């Protein structure tokens, strides 16, 4: 039985001293830190545990440090290597080495994009580089396979699009677009021409490739263009011209893209594709006056295209005529003026083609006669019965029809005369085709080139007296009194020699008269279309000649005033119209031959003129050169848009039909830049983590 406590005993009022954490504990033992459990506890970083110092204070700390468990853990930690030693330190040298590796990977990505290479080649290239350069630390550290390459290409494209957008905000630009015929998606690449301050040239660069989901109306196409500009904060007021083809959906003044753009920028200039118009002019004239040479060329090409037997037989015929055994070229009807090389090859092999297709025709007739004899013999053995009588179809097959058509064409000496004339006259378009297909700015010579084309055509059939002291578009070329006699028509020496030897060539005099009438009709049709469709007297093209340095002394200040009054965006900041006109007047009196001798591109010439200094070292034409380069951004044709489409076909092939639209856009953006990119350390550091961010977001 427990003893009962006495209730009258006095209480124990003795107080116990409570110890709290002190800084001296950490000074004596580095592994001890304050604890989150309270001020009467101490945290040990070695044991990763908390113990109480409430009773003994420093004695409790010493007792914990002297325990076997703490000593064993301390020894284990001292032998361990920190994980930080396995990571690259953030020293300057290591950072620069990492940036060099990133820069090398970006250069590899640019190479893949510019050369239209498959993205899968990135799985092999780093290994090849390590084999080629075994002593290179950069090559050894390159780790950029297909997926990372795709991400880096998109990062490069984003940087270039951002750089282009910043230039579009600050400088005048022109915008162009055209629709694609891609089966997968209806693409409308937005190509921008503006001055690149790094190179000092006017370049055509791809801003984006929006996809048209619905019907490709003028409003829908404009909305895609407007969205691309608004997302990047680019004002329409900086846009000077709209480049496009001549379709109504683009050039319509009511519901076309031009109509909607004009609401945003009232002074916009419509730069239609003059290259396409020249092609149509030549094609319409040939269709109205000449035999169907283009159809025969297509038939000849496809007759030999997939038949090795026919090609071998034709090579034997070429050998009989001592001709170089070259295949017949394919004519592309959408670009009619490409017919020149095809006609040259056809005339070179004319006699060989005539003999070859005569043999083919004879072989077909022989086969027909044998089949007819076999059918007659078969019918003679079978009793004639109205119900059971059968007749084989005598309709000629496709190959037989082509053989007959080609042979009928090449056997005619009149057709040969027409082809000789076409071979000669097709070269009248060569100069303007070279200018219009050039990537260099040619807006300053476009009007003169069109007028020169018309003049060259008129001089071939119009008397000189009818063209003296008259504007080229005012010549009365339809009046019979102004047309040269037949013997004076310019048809080419080979065609003239063919007519002079009419008896040898079995050419009838009646056919010669018809030929001369067809020649005049051909020239009439060309002149009609050029005068009605091409911008021979457009005020913008006329004023753009002020940017031609070759017209330095005869250029008009009124042409410069035309642009600075129409487009306020073309005037550099903190510059007045009076200052620009003063610089222009001084430019006309200054020797700039040192700039023209070193450069051929007009934009490069003006960039060098802008760097000229006077005796005091001040820039003389810095503002004027910016205005002139702004004028040169106006497109002279839609050839730069067509180049984008050719790159689409080179990247999205049958083997890579699943290439994504965003990846395709990035590839074409990089390729359109054309110049190697320089990356800052900040950009390299940002791009270095792009692959990790893409993996994290996916």
């Amino acid at each position: 039985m427990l003893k009962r406590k006495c209730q009258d005993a006095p209480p124990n009022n003795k107080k116990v001293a409570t110890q709290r954490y002190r800084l001296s504990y950490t000074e004596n033992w580095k592994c001890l830190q304050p604890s989150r459990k309270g001020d009467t506890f101490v945290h040990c970083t070695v044991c990763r545990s908390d113990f109480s110092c409430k009773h003994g204070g420093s004695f409790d700390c010493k007792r914990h440090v002297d325990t076997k468990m703490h000593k064993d853990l301390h020894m284990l930690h001292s032998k361990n290597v920190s994980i930080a030693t396995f990571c690259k330190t953030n020293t300057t040298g290591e950072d620069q080495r990492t940036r060099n590796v990133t820069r090398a990977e970006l250069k590899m990505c640019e190479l893949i994009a510019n050369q239209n290479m498959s993205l899968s080649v990135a799985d092999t290239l780093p290994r090849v580089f390590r084999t080629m350069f075994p002593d290179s630390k950069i090559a050894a550290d390159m780790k950029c396979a297909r997926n990372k390459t795709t991400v880096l290409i998109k990062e490069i494209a984003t940087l270039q699009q951002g750089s282009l957008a910043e230039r579009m905000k600050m400088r005048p630009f022109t915008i162009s677009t055209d629709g694609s015929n891609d089966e997968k998606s209806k693409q409308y690449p937005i190509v921008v021409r503006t001055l690149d301050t790094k190179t000092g040239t006017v370049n055509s660069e791809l801003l984006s490739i929006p996809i048209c989901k619905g019907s490709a109306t003028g409003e829908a196409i404009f909305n895609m263009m407007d969205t691309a500009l608004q997302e990047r904060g680019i004002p329409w007021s900086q846009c000077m011209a709209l480049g496009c083809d001549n379709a109504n959906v683009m050039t319509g003044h009511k519901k076309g893209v031009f109509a909607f753009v004009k609401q945003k920028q009232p002074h916009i200039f419509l730069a239609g594709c003059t290259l396409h118009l020249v092609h149509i002019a030549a094609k319409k004239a040939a269709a109205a006056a000449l035999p169907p040479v283009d159809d025969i060329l297509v038939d000849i090409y496809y007759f030999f295209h997939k038949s090795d037997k026919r090609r071998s037989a034709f090579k034997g015929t070429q050998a009989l005529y001592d001709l170089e055994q070259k295949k017949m070229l394919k004519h592309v009807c959408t670009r009619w003026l490409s017919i020149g090389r095809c006609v040259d090859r056809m005339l070179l092999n004319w006699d060989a083609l005539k003999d070859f297709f005569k043999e083919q025709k004879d072989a077909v007739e022989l086969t027909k006669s044998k089949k007819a004899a076999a059918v007659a013999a078969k019918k003679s053995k079978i009793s004639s019965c109205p119900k059971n009588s059968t007749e084989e179809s005598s309709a000629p097959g496709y190959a037989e029809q082509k053989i007959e058509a080609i042979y009928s064409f090449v056997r005619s000496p009149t057709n040969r005369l027409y082809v000789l004339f076409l071979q000669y006259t097709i070269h009248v378009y060569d100069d303007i085709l070279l200018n219009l297909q050039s990537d260099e700015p040619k807006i300053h010579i476009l009007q003169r080139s069109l007028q020169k084309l018309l003049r060259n055509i008129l001089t071939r059939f119009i008397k000189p007296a009818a063209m003296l002291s008259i504007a080229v578009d005012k010549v009365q070329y339809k009046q019979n009194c102004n047309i040269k006699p037949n013997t004076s028509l310019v048809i080419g020496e080979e065609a003239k020699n063919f007519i002079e030897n009419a008896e040898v060539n079995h050419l009838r005099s009646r056919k010669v008269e018809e030929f001369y009438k067809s020649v005049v009709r051909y020239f009439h049709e060309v002149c009609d279309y050029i005068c009605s469709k091409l911008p021979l007297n457009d005020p913008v093209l006329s004023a753009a000649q002020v940017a031609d340095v070759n017209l330095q002394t005869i250029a008009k200040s009124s042409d410069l005033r035309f642009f600075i009054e129409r487009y306020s965006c073309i005037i550099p900041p903190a510059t007045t119209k009076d200052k620009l006109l003063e610089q222009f007047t001084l430019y006309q009196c200054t020797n700039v031959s040192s700039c023209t001798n070193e450069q051929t591109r007009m934009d490069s010439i003006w960039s060098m003129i802008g760097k000229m200094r006077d005796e005091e070292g001040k820039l003389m034409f810095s503002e004027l050169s910016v205005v002139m380069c702004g004028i040169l951004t106006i497109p002279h044709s839609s050839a730069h848009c067509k180049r984008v489409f050719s790159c689409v076909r080179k990247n999205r092939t049958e083997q890579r039909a699943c290439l994504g639209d965003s990846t395709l856009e990035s590839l074409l953006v990089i390729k359109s830049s054309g110049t190697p990119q320089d990356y800052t350390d900040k950009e390299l550091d940002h791009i270095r983590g792009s692959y990790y961010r893409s993996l994290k977001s996916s």
Side-chain angles (χ1 to χ4, degrees):
M1 185 173 177
L2 295 176
K3 187 176 181 181
R4 187 175 181 182
K5 186 176 180 180
C6 182
Q7 295 181 354
D8 298 334
N12 187 7
N13 295 327
K14 184 178 180 180
K15 295 182 179 180
V16 180
T18 301
Q19 300 291 336
R20 291 179 174 81
Y21 170 80
R22 297 179 182 179
L23 292 177
S24 59
Y25 300 165
T26 304
E27 294 176 358
N28 296 331
W29 301 280
K30 301 295 183 183
C31 60
L32 301 183
Q33 300 291 334
S35 175
R36 295 181 179 179
K37 296 180 68 175
D39 56 356
T40 60
F41 288 87
V42 180
H43 176 73
C44 178
T45 57
V46 175
C47 302
R48 299 197 177 189
S49 62
D50 299 282
F51 60 91
S52 175
C53 63
K54 180 178 180 180
H55 300 288
S58 61
F59 178 78
D60 291 336
C61 296
K62 184 177 183 304
R63 184 175 57 183
H64 173 81
V65 171
D66 292 338
T67 59
K68 184 176 183 301
M69 182 183 69
H70 179 89
K71 291 181 178 179
D72 293 343
L73 289 174
H74 180 72
M75 184 177 297
L76 182 63
H77 287 181
S78 63
K79 293 181 179 180
N80 287 344
V81 180
S82 174
I83 194 172
T85 59
F86 296 98
C87 302
K88 294 183 179 180
T89 59
N90 292 326
T91 59
T92 305
E94 290 295 332
D95 278 348
Q96 192 60 41
R97 180 181 174 182
T98 306
R99 290 169 184 152
N100 291 337
V101 173
T102 305
R103 185 179 287 107
E105 292 173 346
L106 294 177
K107 295 297 181 183
M108 185 190 75
C109 295
E110 290 179 1
L111 174 66
I112 292 174
N114 290 325
Q115 300 301 321
N116 304 315
M117 300 167 68
S118 173
L119 294 177
S120 60
V121 77
D123 296 336
T124 307
L125 280 179
R127 294 199 299 267
V128 174
F129 291 156
R130 285 193 288 270
T131 306
M132 294 170 60
F133 312 108
D135 56 342
S136 173
K137 295 182 180 179
I138 295 177
D141 291 341
M142 285 183 64
K143 297 177 179 62
C144 189
R146 183 187 318 181
N147 293 336
K148 185 177 180 181
T149 298
T150 304
V151 175
L152 293 185
I153 285 176
K154 292 182 179 180
E155 287 289 334
I156 298 173
T158 302
L159 289 177
Q160 294 184 0
Q161 288 172 319
S163 175
L164 176 60
E166 290 300 322
R167 280 184 278 135
M168 293 171 66
K169 295 176 185 177
M170 303 299 297
R171 296 184 178 275
F173 66 89
T174 59
I175 190 169
S176 304
T177 188
D178 197 0
S180 70
N181 294 321
D182 194 348
E183 296 179 357
K184 184 178 179 181
S185 57
K186 188 71 172 178
Q187 302 168 335
Y188 280 86
I190 299 176
V191 183
V192 176
R193 288 175 68 88
T194 186
L195 178 64
D196 189 348
T197 54
K198 294 181 180 179
T199 60
T201 57
V202 174
N203 297 330
S204 299
E205 300 179 47
L206 182 65
L207 180 64
S208 65
I209 308 182
I211 308 299
C212 184
K213 302 296 183 181
S215 179
T217 62
E219 185 176 4
I221 298 172
F222 166 76
N223 288 335
M224 289 188 296
M225 299 171 61
D226 187 52
T227 302
L229 296 185
Q230 297 302 326
E231 287 178 349
R232 297 169 174 84
I234 303 171
W236 277 102
S237 59
Q238 296 289 111
C239 184
M240 295 179 58
L242 170 67
C244 58
D245 58 14
N246 305 292
N248 289 332
V249 70
M250 291 289 182
T251 61
H253 289 267
K254 292 184 178 180
K255 294 185 178 180
V257 177
F258 176 67
F260 292 99
V261 174
K262 200 167 185 179
Q263 296 177 5
K264 295 283 187 176
Q265 168 59 293
H267 302 294
I268 194 77
F269 170 67
L270 179 61
C273 185
T274 51
L275 176 62
H276 193 207
L277 295 177
V278 172
H279 277 279
I280 295 176
K283 184 177 182 178
K284 285 183 174 294
L290 305 181
V293 182
D294 49 349
D295 294 340
I296 295 299
L297 287 170
V298 173
D299 290 343
I300 292 174
Y301 173 80
Y302 281 106
F303 185 82
F304 295 108
H305 180 48
K306 291 185 178 180
S307 176
D308 186 65
K309 180 180 178 181
R310 294 171 181 172
R311 288 196 298 266
S312 300
F314 183 61
K315 287 181 180 179
T317 307
Q318 287 177 314
L320 294 176
Y321 286 90
D322 294 330
L323 296 173
E324 189 175 357
Q325 296 181 353
K326 292 183 177 180
K327 67 177 183 178
M328 304 305 294
L329 299 177
K330 181 182 179 181
H331 169 55
V332 182
C333 297
T334 54
R335 282 291 176 261
W336 195 86
L337 289 176
S338 65
I339 200 172
R341 293 180 60 196
C342 303
V343 167
D344 293 342
R345 187 65 56 85
M346 182 183 185
L347 286 172
L348 183 65
N349 294 273
W350 189 278
D351 294 329
L353 288 169
K354 184 168 62 174
D355 286 357
F356 175 79
F357 282 100
K358 185 179 183 302
E359 294 175 359
Q360 294 290 318
K361 186 175 182 298
D362 294 341
V364 170
E365 292 178 352
L366 180 61
T367 304
K368 282 184 178 181
S369 62
K370 289 182 179 180
K371 286 184 178 181
V375 171
K378 184 177 180 181
K379 285 184 178 182
S380 63
K381 295 180 182 180
I382 302 174
S383 58
S384 59
C385 179
K387 294 183 179 180
N388 298 328
S389 62
T390 58
E391 295 182 359
E392 294 189 10
S393 176
S394 60
Y398 180 78
E400 297 174 5
Q401 293 177 7
K402 295 303 178 184
I403 291 172
E404 180 65 29
I406 296 172
Y407 178 65
S408 299
F409 186 89
V410 297
R411 69 178 295 191
S412 171
T414 307
N415 288 338
R416 188 169 187 174
L417 177 61
Y418 280 107
V419 176
L420 287 171
F421 165 72
L422 181 60
Q423 181 193 33
Y424 170 74
T425 194
I426 206 73
H427 295 296
V428 73
Y429 307 97
D430 289 346
D431 290 341
I432 194 168
L433 288 181
L434 290 175
N435 286 330
L436 295 181
Q437 294 181 32
S438 175
D439 193 34
E440 300 179 13
K442 297 288 185 179
I443 192 65
H444 56 287
I445 63 170
L446 179 57
Q447 188 179 67
R448 279 178 291 158
S449 298
L450 296 176
Q451 293 176 352
K452 180 181 177 182
L453 172 64
L454 181 57
R455 185 183 299 106
N456 288 343
I457 295 174
L458 290 172
T459 55
R460 281 163 166 74
F461 74 107
I462 296 297
K463 296 177 181 178
M467 298 181 61
L468 291 175
S469 303
I470 298 177
V472 67
D473 58 324
K474 301 297 182 182
V475 176
Q476 302 298 320
Y477 57 85
K478 288 190 175 181
Q479 295 184 3
N480 293 331
C481 60
N482 293 333
I483 299 176
K484 294 179 178 179
N486 291 343
T487 55
S488 299
L489 292 174
V490 182
I491 59 175
E493 288 300 318
E494 292 192 16
K496 278 192 174 183
N497 294 336
F498 195 83
I499 294 174
E500 291 175 358
N501 299 322
E503 294 184 3
V504 178
N505 296 321
H506 307 286
L507 193 63
R508 300 176 184 177
S509 58
R510 178 175 58 85
K511 295 293 184 181
V512 174
E513 292 297 325
E514 292 179 359
F515 166 75
Y516 282 126
K517 292 180 180 179
S518 298
V519 168
V520 175
R521 187 162 63 251
Y522 172 87
F523 288 135
H524 278 169
E525 291 290 334
V526 172
C527 294
D528 285 344
Y529 195 87
I530 290 177
C531 292
S532 61
K533 298 295 184 180
L534 269 66
L536 297 174
N537 296 308
D538 191 280
V540 175
L541 300 185
S542 178
Q545 298 181 76
V546 72
D548 192 352
V549 178
N550 298 318
L551 306 179
Q552 177 185 6
T553 57
I554 61 175
K556 302 176 182 178
S557 59
S558 58
D559 292 337
L560 176 63
R561 191 179 294 108
F562 172 85
F563 278 103
I564 61 181
E565 290 179 354
R566 177 166 178 166
Y567 302 105
S568 59
C569 62
I570 205 172
I571 304 176
T575 304
T576 62
K577 297 179 182 179
D578 291 336
K579 186 175 182 180
L580 289 173
L581 293 173
E582 290 173 2
Q583 289 188 4
F584 178 76
T585 305
L586 179 61
Y587 147 75
Q588 288 189 299
C589 304
T590 305
N591 185 8
V592 295
S593 58
S594 59
C595 302
T596 58
N597 292 336
E598 299 179 6
Q599 300 290 340
T600 56
R601 289 175 57 111
M602 194 56 60
D603 49 355
S604 299
I605 292 175
W606 274 109
S607 295
M608 295 188 65
I609 292 176
K611 298 177 182 178
M612 293 181 64
R613 298 180 180 272
D614 57 12
E615 297 177 353
E616 298 178 357
K618 297 181 180 180
L619 293 173
M620 302 170 63
F621 312 113
S622 57
E623 290 83 5
L624 181 64
S625 64
V626 174
V627 174
M628 294 303 184
C629 288
I631 297 173
L632 294 175
T633 60
I634 301 176
H636 52 272
S637 72
S638 63
H640 52 295
C641 285
K642 302 299 181 183
R643 291 189 186 93
V644 175
F645 291 141
S646 65
C647 294
V648 170
R649 290 190 293 270
K650 291 178 181 178
N651 286 275
R652 182 178 281 167
T653 60
E654 294 181 358
Q655 291 77 19
R656 293 191 293 166
C658 297
L659 186 65
D661 291 331
S662 61
T663 305
L664 177 64
E665 177 182 297
S666 300
L667 288 169
L668 299 183
V669 166
I670 296 173
K671 189 172 179 64
S672 68
S673 177
T675 55
Q677 300 296 315
D678 295 328
Y679 303 97
T680 62
D681 291 345
K682 184 178 180 181
E683 291 173 343
L684 291 173
D685 293 339
H686 175 75
I687 293 175
R688 184 171 56 189
S690 58
Y691 184 50
Y692 171 76
R693 291 192 297 271
S694 68
L695 293 176
K696 189 176 180 180
S697 61
S698 61

